[in-house]
Amino acid sequence: MGSDYFEARLNAKNSMVQLNLDSLRLEAEMFYDDSDYSYKGFSCDYSLAQYFCKSIADEIGKEPVIFSDVEKYCAFTPLPVENYYHCVDSSGISITTNVFPGKTGYCDGKTFVCPAKSTSITSEELKKIGEAEFRKELNGFFMKVGELSFQIWIGKKDNLPYKFTFEKSVDINKFNSKENGEITVKINAEFSEYGKPIKIEIPENAMGLDEIFKEEIDKMEKQESFYRDYQRKSDMNRLQSIMENHFVSNHSKYFQSKSMPTEIEEITIYKEIGQGPCSSYKWISNFENSQKYCAWACLESGKFYIVSQSGTRFEANYQPAAFNQCEKSSSPAASELMPSESISEGKGGFFSQEASIGKIIQRLFKK
């Protein structure tokens, strides 16, 4: 139980550091817009970046490294798993790697790129590496402690234990070279009155170890869920920024696609980060309408984060089935459009809007 708990905690710390650094990408784009289209000066001192920088520092003891210039930026941080790093840059890269991002030619203040994608490792691979490292450190701890021995007295007739003694002295210098001395642990326990009833009263509001660990793990999982939802919103806001820039530079026409685009003008569109209610980000086809678009992310909070033309962005209790439902002022109430019925899959993976709207009308007439 204890080993599983600490491994889970290490994995959670890795995830939170990664998600916090990824969240800085949105803040960098907002800084860019607020600074006359320049990244120069973007750092942890930027008000909207401070929260995420502090969250990273809380996990690993220091803020991420950020370098920025007029047209580019990059940021990286070590992860709790030793010799592994997470890095993001203005080209859209978000990578976990064992290549030090601060080396010459990468994110060093003269160049602003993360290590190559070929060095990337997946979250599952990092999890396995972290678990192996934890076990290695645990073994190292017991190697420093040294041999453990104890004595136990067992009754000849009943084979029951009657006495247990343990004593161990450990040299502190083995764990901290700046400290000297010994720590001694002694245990002397005696057992008797077998077979006699013992009444043990559990203190009021007492919690077992399982409950304590569960509460802590649940808390970490909620934090991870919050950060994943924040990342989904960040990805949607970034997509919106790319779409609006395309509109300005392409004669007042939005990028058109039948399904969620993977790339717009050589800019990569981020994919759903996983572990959420939907396997991908959603999109209503605007292939025949260059003046509108609508995309959304399914949040673990149970809501949906919607972005559309002219900078509209909001959370809703439904998935939109038509462009007018992507505009906050005309969004249907949750009672009119339930999440489970809000959208259906058509042929080729496109959304069948008529079926969903038909269900809404039927419900309205039944009322």
Side-chain angles (χ1 to χ4, degrees), residues 213-224:
F213 286 140
K214 183 179 185 304
E215 183 177 318
E216 184 69 16
I217 291 173
D218 287 346
K219 181 180 177 181
M220 288 189 294
E221 288 177 347
K222 287 180 181 178
Q223 286 180 315
E224 285 190 79

Side-chain angles (χ1 to χ4, degrees), residues 79-279:
L79 293 172
V81 174
E82 190 174 359
N83 297 324
Y84 282 84
Y85 309 87
H86 195 59
C87 182
V88 298
D89 65 34
S90 47
S91 72
I93 291 291
S94 171
I95 185 174
T96 296
T97 176
N98 62 351
V99 175
F100 178 54
K103 68 186 297 186
T104 302
Y106 292 129
C107 185
D108 61 0
K110 294 181 179 179
T111 53
F112 304 86
V113 295
C114 293
K117 285 185 178 180
S118 59
T119 68
S120 174
I121 65 167
T122 65
S123 297
E124 191 60 33
E125 289 172 330
L126 183 66
K127 180 180 178 182
K128 291 179 180 178
I129 292 167
E131 290 171 352
E133 182 177 299
F134 171 78
R135 293 190 182 97
K136 182 179 178 181
E137 289 182 358
L138 191 62
N139 290 335
F141 170 81
F142 284 113
M143 288 290 289
K144 291 177 181 178
V145 168
E147 182 180 329
L148 300 175
S149 61
F150 58 87
Q151 291 182 316
I152 185 168
W153 283 257
I154 298 177
K156 291 182 178 180
K157 294 182 179 180
D158 54 16
N159 292 323
L160 294 173
Y162 283 88
K163 187 176 181 180
F164 174 87
T165 62
F166 170 83
E167 183 173 339
K168 179 66 180 179
S169 295
V170 179
D171 184 359
I172 299 175
N173 188 255
K174 290 182 178 180
F175 298 91
N176 188 338
S177 60
K178 296 180 180 180
E179 300 290 340
N180 293 304
E182 282 189 343
I183 293 178
T184 300
V185 178
K186 291 183 179 181
I187 299 175
N188 189 354
E190 295 185 2
F191 310 96
S192 61
E193 298 186 349
Y194 284 104
K196 294 184 179 181
I198 299 175
K199 185 179 180 181
I200 300 176
E201 294 185 1
I202 300 175
E204 188 177 351
N205 300 323
M207 294 179 66
L209 287 176
D210 286 351
E211 292 178 280
I212 294 172
F213 286 140
K214 183 179 185 304
E215 183 177 318
E216 184 69 16
I217 291 173
D218 287 346
K219 181 180 177 181
M220 288 189 294
E221 288 177 347
K222 287 180 181 178
Q223 286 180 315
E224 285 190 79
S225 176
F226 169 81
Y227 286 125
R228 285 194 296 269
D229 275 351
Y230 188 93
Q231 184 59 52
R232 293 181 178 100
K233 294 178 184 179
S234 173
D235 289 350
M236 287 295 99
N237 291 345
R238 177 177 179 272
L239 170 62
Q240 184 178 58
S241 177
I242 293 169
M243 289 293 289
E244 296 301 329
N245 287 337
H246 184 279
F247 184 85
V248 172
S249 59
N250 286 271
H251 308 291
S252 299
K253 291 183 179 181
Y254 287 113
F255 182 83
Q256 292 172 268
S257 177
K258 290 182 178 180
S259 59
M260 173 62 74
T262 57
E263 186 178 278
I264 298 176
E265 293 184 348
E266 299 184 353
I267 301 175
T268 301
I269 304 303
Y270 299 141
K271 295 181 180 179
E272 223 288 337
I273 59 176
Q275 302 184 56
C278 295
S279 60

Side-chain angles (χ1 to χ4, degrees), residues 18-34:
Q18 290 170 310
L19 288 168
N20 274 300
L21 192 70
D22 284 342
S23 296
L24 284 177
R25 295 181 300 180
L26 172 61
E27 313 312 336
E29 299 308 321
M30 296 181 71
F31 179 90
Y32 181 84
D33 290 342
D34 292 341

Side-chain angles (χ1 to χ4, degrees), residues 282-316:
K282 305 298 184 180
W283 175 273
I284 291 178
S285 173
N286 68 340
F287 197 67
E288 297 180 355
N289 189 342
S290 65
Q291 298 303 298
K292 293 188 176 184
Y293 70 91
C294 179
W296 68 95
C298 307
L299 305 180
E300 292 176 49
S301 66
K303 294 190 175 184
F304 305 89
Y305 188 70
I306 302 169
V307 297
S308 61
Q309 65 275 0
S310 303
T312 302
R313 58 178 73 164
F314 62 100
E315 283 189 28

